[in-house]
Amino acid sequence: MADFFVSYTGVDKAWAEWIAWELEAQGHEVLVQAWDMVPGTNFVDMMHRGVQESERTIAVLSSAYLDSAFATAEWQAAWQNDPSGANRKLLVLRIEDCDRPGLLASVVSVDLFGPDEDVARTRLRQVVQGALTGRMKPLEAPRFPGRPGKPSFPGALPDVWNVPPRNPNFTGRVESLDRLRKAMRSNQAVTVHSLRGMGGVGKTQLAIEYAYRFASDFDIVWCVPSEQPALIPEHLAQLGIALGLDTDPSDTKRVLKALRRRPRWLLVFDNAEDPAELLSFLPSGPGQVVITTRRSGFTAVGVVLEIDVLDRKESIALLRRRVPAASNEQVATLAEMLGDLPLALEQASAYLEATGLSVEEYTTLFKERAADMVGRGRVIGQKETLATLWDLSLTALGEEDPAALQLLDLLAWMAPEPVPFDLFTNHPDLLPEALAGAARDPLAWSETVGALADWFFIRRSSNDMLIAHRLLQQSLRVHGDSSSHAAVQNLLAVDLPDPTKNAPRAWPRWRALLPHVLTCIDDAEDQPTSLNLWLLEHAMMYLIATHRLHDARRLAERTLAIHESAPDADDMKIAGSLNNLGFMLSRLGHNEEAQPLLERALAIHEVTNGPGFTDSLTNLGNVHSRLGNSEAACALYQRALDIYAAANGPDHPYAAEIYSNLAIALLDLNRKDEALIAAERAMTIYEASVEPDHPSKSTIMINLGHTLYALGRYEEALRLYERSLRIRQAIYEPDHREVGVAMSCLALALDALGRHEEAQTARDRAEEIAQQDGAAS
């Protein structure tokens, strides 16, 4: 019989082992699956005996544990053996901030997460002591809670107290409170600063919760609103009156001197703006100071504690408490939409309560009118909304640095992804006047970007920046200058190189800016200007060149719809769009869908004999080849070669691609010698005219490799497959589908040469990439 059976689910194995180790270090006998489930053991029997025969069961409680059927059976069996809890058969240790549903809510639990290991170890020992003795007497003597002549009890508020009401829905932040508590033990002043620098993250709420939670540690707790430094003396004078001093706002030194003589006080300077202006108001002595701020520079005052938006589990827990009728899926969607920003979650909950809207109705309304909704929903005890917080800061920023405000207007029309600085500094002539001046001067540019970061609006690294929160971005779009959208489109169009003529050297820039191009395209969906069409078509070409065909297909469909619906529809543009969409459908294996589109494009080209004629012929040839109509494919390829050679000469790189496709069709007809001539012709043209690392070259090599393989020349085929793989590995991500195709070809040649183990390794890797590509699709 063990003293303790540790019940846990697989994802929490590390916690279970830590608990088991600590218990055995104290001399207890522990049964835990990770150590005692040796090969040959009957799992169900072991778990049954663990619950029934062990003296006590420890439930390692997490969200995953609550979802586990086995874990539920284990803790319920322990509870059934001791439903009143008199013998303390079930001990509940939470390892994350999760609910205790149903019967678990009646069992007193202890949290191990949040603090450091020493604190967690102490809590575990206290749990064991309580289970064995029935008492939870501390391992150390409690701190004296009173003061001479007047006792103070834990939970009672000090007489000198002006802290705003506590948020009854305060959720999560266990780790942040523990870090703040720990920091206050070794520092007189701690600054709570939002990691993103944003308003609405919950800095003030954290400070208020700290004051209430540890109120018994203090005789004096005073909040000092600090947005306007000129008013701080007035607030300190009010503290002086509460202390029984005869003070006025010009005599703050007397209040600070009085605090130095008292041992137990806490001052909260809320929403401080300037550390230099705050320094003269910070008292010395044995008390504590908490500062909350959105601004940077407070390391000069003391330790800075960074907090971010809530994690998703905390957001969901807050919404579940405020909107209990909503489903788990609905609150998860709402948390995602609001970006886990605490004030946004509180406002949404208040708005739902006030209006009676369902979460689904609110979500729909928010998606349609996000910028209007960020100002709705009043939180008790909070005068600001997200909208007012942002508006005040925007006004101040515009007065401080007009160039920064102009830059923010441009960022609002871009994706919430990093934006390279040099998109602006390389093209100052395309920027508004104030921002253009800053972009031309490295020092002024640094200060402009710094102002945005200091005012919480962006996060920056050494080379790029991104807007701090999607809700801020949506609000800026409604209230900002819509001409900024056109300016961003122009910047992108001027900056981006042609993705096909400069492949693959152009790809890193496209990779960095593609999210912003796609955002501009989406925003201009109802206004297909020539600039927007340029971005749409070139983004499609980049996606085709990098073989992101599912994404490219969507852009091709949009391009075709725009050209077909234009009042002055251009047949040549329609033919080009049909050709692009047909090409992608064929590459994706939808040849029956591609064929009528390409036949329609070819019909237009045959009438006009315009640009793209050979493209339509070649792409339709590819469709026939993939459908098994190789004779028809060869005829289309030969016709394309005749037209192209007459216009551009026989040695143009595009002719090489047609020769390469012709070789595969000839192979299908078992015309191997003709196929070899066509494939070698393609390779000769490409070797003479195309850079060694060009992605199309790897396809030419593979097709020549297939031809040599069909002729039994396996060593030569292998060398070509290896060269093709090296090119693709150098220009694509490791899991790119084109790398997988080259791996499959390599496996084919290795098998033919009897190198079966190497072939299987290559084949396994190709299959792994194919599965990932299918999942991504």
Side-chain angles (χ1 to χ4, degrees):
M1 178 181 289
D3 297 319
F4 296 97
F5 167 60
V6 181
S7 171
Y8 68 99
T9 193
V11 296
D12 301 324
K13 177 174 176 283
W15 272 106
E17 290 191 285
W18 182 84
I19 291 167
W21 184 277
E22 292 297 331
L23 291 174
E24 291 197 351
Q26 297 173 43
H28 302 291
E29 186 173 342
V30 181
L31 179 64
V32 60
Q33 177 187 342
W35 299 345
D36 298 307
M37 197 67 61
V38 297
T41 306
N42 184 303
F43 171 81
V44 176
D45 178 67
M46 173 69 81
M47 296 301 99
H48 174 75
R49 289 192 296 109
V51 175
Q52 297 298 325
E53 299 179 10
S54 296
E55 191 67 28
R56 290 177 174 83
T57 294
I58 291 179
V60 182
L61 191 62
S62 66
S63 300
Y65 185 89
L66 294 170
D67 292 335
S68 168
F70 282 114
T72 299
E74 290 165 9
W75 76 255
Q76 287 180 345
W79 183 91
Q80 189 175 18
N81 290 337
D82 184 26
S84 68
N87 296 315
R88 300 169 295 284
K89 289 285 190 179
L90 176 63
L91 308 180
V92 179
L93 303 179
R94 290 202 316 165
I95 59 167
E96 64 180 42
D97 190 6
C98 60
D99 292 333
R100 293 183 298 125
L103 297 173
L104 278 175
S106 66
V107 182
V108 176
S109 67
V110 172
D111 292 345
L112 296 185
F113 64 94
D116 59 29
E117 185 176 2
D118 290 339
V119 176
R121 183 179 293 110
T122 299
R123 290 181 182 177
L124 178 61
R125 290 177 179 175
Q126 287 176 326
V127 169
V128 172
Q129 175 191 331
L132 298 178
T133 67
R135 298 187 73 203
M136 290 277 284
K137 181 179 178 180
L139 302 178
E140 298 179 357
R143 181 177 176 180
F144 178 62
R147 57 185 185 271
K150 187 174 182 180
S152 174
F153 299 98
L157 300 180
D159 290 338
V160 181
W161 172 274
N162 78 331
V163 181
R166 193 177 197 174
N167 182 356
N169 299 303
F170 187 87
T171 302
R173 297 297 195 199
V174 174
E175 181 186 3
S176 296
L177 282 166
D178 282 336
R179 286 195 292 140
L180 179 54
R181 178 72 163 165
K182 186 175 182 180
M184 294 302 323
R185 291 195 184 112
S186 54
N187 300 274
Q188 187 198 27
V190 175
T191 298
V192 179
H193 177 262
S194 66
L195 185 61
R196 301 167 188 250
M198 289 191 64
V201 171
K203 304 176 298 296
T204 299
Q205 292 297 316
L206 184 72
I208 290 173
E209 182 65 20
Y210 176 82
Y212 275 94
R213 191 166 294 195
F214 303 109
S216 61
D217 288 356
F218 306 106
D219 300 330
I220 303 163
V221 179
W222 204 258
C223 281
V224 181
S226 306
E227 301 99 322
Q228 301 179 50
L231 299 181
I232 291 177
E234 176 66 36
H235 296 297
L236 289 176
Q238 293 299 316
L239 171 58
I241 293 171
L243 293 174
L245 304 176
D246 182 13
T247 60
D248 62 66
S250 63
D251 194 15
T252 56
K253 290 183 179 179
R254 188 177 180 194
V255 178
L256 300 180
K257 184 177 180 180
L259 288 176
R260 284 198 295 270
R261 295 197 296 265
R262 299 176 184 239
R264 290 162 40 96
W265 51 262
L266 169 66
L267 293 189
V268 178
F269 290 90
D270 190 33
N271 285 325
E273 292 290 317
D274 188 340
E277 292 183 331
L278 191 63
L279 279 172
S280 61
F281 301 117
L282 299 181
S284 58
Q288 295 182 5
V289 172
V290 173
I291 302 164
T292 72
T293 185
R294 297 193 300 266
R295 308 299 297 275
S296 58
F298 279 79
T299 51
V301 177
V303 172
V304 175
L305 178 70
E306 302 279 7
I307 65 169
D308 202 353
V309 296
L310 297 173
D311 67 37
R312 183 54 49 80
K313 289 182 179 178
E314 290 176 332
S315 297
I316 290 173
L318 172 59
L319 290 170
R320 296 293 303 138
R321 180 179 297 178
R322 296 294 307 274
V323 195
S327 68
N328 289 333
E329 183 179 358
Q330 286 174 329
V331 295
T333 299
L334 188 55
E336 166 72 21
M337 186 175 68
L338 298 175
D340 303 302
L341 191 61
L343 182 54
L345 298 169
E346 290 275 16
Q347 281 184 224
S349 301
Y351 191 78
L352 287 166
E353 184 178 353
T355 61
L357 286 176
S358 68
V359 172
E360 191 171 0
E361 290 170 326
Y362 179 90
T363 301
T364 301
L365 188 59
F366 197 97
K367 287 178 180 177
E368 294 173 352
R369 300 179 60 183
D372 293 328
M373 297 299 288
V374 296
R376 286 171 164 77
R378 292 288 172 178
V379 180
I380 296 174
Q382 176 114 13
K383 61 183 179 180
E384 297 94 351
T385 66
L386 285 175
T388 58
L389 280 174
W390 292 337
D391 287 346
L392 288 171
S393 297
L394 284 168
T395 300
L397 175 64
E399 295 172 354
E400 178 182 305
D401 192 334
L405 197 57
Q406 290 176 347
L407 178 56
L408 189 62
D409 281 339
L410 296 179
L411 293 173
W413 292 98
M414 306 182 82
E417 301 284 343
V419 183
F421 291 153
D422 61 8
L423 177 65
F424 306 100
T425 57
N426 286 348
H427 311 288
D429 294 341
L430 302 179
L431 302 175
E433 184 177 352
L435 182 58
R440 292 188 181 98
D441 180 353
L443 180 59
W445 173 256
S446 176
E447 291 176 349
T448 293
V449 173
L452 284 182
D454 197 33
W455 276 102
F456 78 77
F457 291 120
I458 67 163
R459 287 180 286 157
R460 64 177 175 181
S461 68
S462 58
N463 299 310
D464 55 41
M465 58 189 156
L466 73 159
I467 208 155
H469 200 277
R470 72 184 73 170
L471 296 184
L472 167 65
Q473 183 176 33
Q474 290 165 327
S475 181
L476 286 167
R477 287 189 179 194
V478 170
H479 301 298
D481 185 354
S482 59
S483 65
S484 297
H485 182 216
V488 168
Q489 287 182 304
N490 197 31
L491 269 173
L492 292 169
V494 169
D495 186 85
L496 283 163
D498 187 303
T500 53
K501 292 180 180 177
N502 297 283
R505 292 184 298 278
W507 294 357
R509 192 62 171 179
W510 268 96
R511 191 178 301 119
L513 293 177
L514 181 64
H516 310 295
V517 172
L518 296 178
T519 295
C520 280
I521 291 169
D522 290 340
D523 291 335
E525 187 169 7
D526 298 330
Q527 301 174 5
T529 63
S530 58
L531 200 56
N532 184 55
L533 273 170
W534 188 95
L535 291 172
L536 180 61
E537 290 169 349
H538 282 73
M540 179 186 66
M541 288 191 295
Y542 166 70
L543 292 169
I544 292 172
T546 54
H547 294 273
R548 293 173 54 180
L549 299 177
H550 292 283
D551 296 323
R553 173 185 175 176
R554 287 189 282 272
L555 298 189
E557 289 170 340
R558 283 181 59 180
T559 305
L560 177 60
I562 290 170
H563 287 315
E564 287 189 319
S565 62
D568 52 346
D570 185 322
D571 283 345
M572 290 304 299
K573 291 180 179 178
I574 291 173
S577 297
L578 288 166
N579 186 56
N580 287 331
L581 181 55
F583 167 80
M584 275 170 277
L585 288 169
S586 177
R587 287 296 305 273
L588 290 167
H590 306 309
N591 291 291
E592 290 81 0
E593 296 177 56
Q595 185 172 347
L597 298 177
L598 292 169
E599 287 173 344
R600 185 180 163 202
L602 182 57
I604 295 173
H605 282 135
E606 284 178 324
V607 171
T608 60
N609 198 28
F613 196 175
T614 52
D615 286 345
S616 294
L617 287 165
T618 303
N619 289 337
L620 187 57
N622 293 340
V623 166
H624 279 292
S625 181
R626 288 164 187 153
L627 289 172
N629 305 322
S630 300
E631 287 283 4
C634 287
L636 289 163
Y637 292 143
Q638 192 58 59
R639 187 179 173 196
L641 281 169
D642 293 342
I643 293 171
Y644 202 81
N648 301 285
D651 295 329
H652 193 279
Y654 184 68
E657 295 181 26
I658 305 174
Y659 275 119
S660 187
N661 292 332
L662 174 62
I664 298 302
L666 289 168
L667 275 182
D668 289 338
L669 294 170
N670 205 31
R671 293 158 61 179
K672 297 178 184 178
D673 293 336
E674 294 173 77
L676 181 61
I677 293 170
E680 287 181 332
R681 176 70 176 146
M683 194 68 196
T684 300
I685 294 172
Y686 251 46
E687 292 281 27
S689 59
V690 176
E691 302 93 329
D693 63 344
H694 196 283
S696 295
K697 196 166 192 174
S698 68
T699 303
I700 300 292
M701 289 175 182
I702 284 178
N703 286 350
L704 177 55
H706 288 338
T707 308
L708 292 167
Y709 181 91
L711 290 166
R713 294 161 63 175
Y714 304 131
E715 286 284 1
E716 295 172 78
L718 176 63
R719 287 194 291 273
L720 286 165
Y721 293 150
E722 288 173 335
R723 283 183 65 189
S724 174
L725 178 61
R726 285 195 295 271
I727 291 173
R728 294 184 178 190
Q729 286 176 325
I731 61 178
Y732 296 123
E733 297 296 322
D735 294 331
H736 196 285
R737 66 193 303 269
E738 291 298 292
V739 175
V741 170
M743 280 283 186
S744 296
C745 297
L746 189 67
L748 193 70
L750 288 168
D751 257 337
L753 291 167
R755 294 160 61 177
H756 301 302
E757 290 187 9
E758 296 173 75
Q760 190 59 49
T761 299
R763 192 176 298 110
D764 290 344
R765 179 68 184 127
E767 290 175 359
E768 180 185 351
I769 293 171
Q771 289 172 358
Q772 292 175 350
D773 183 59
S777 302

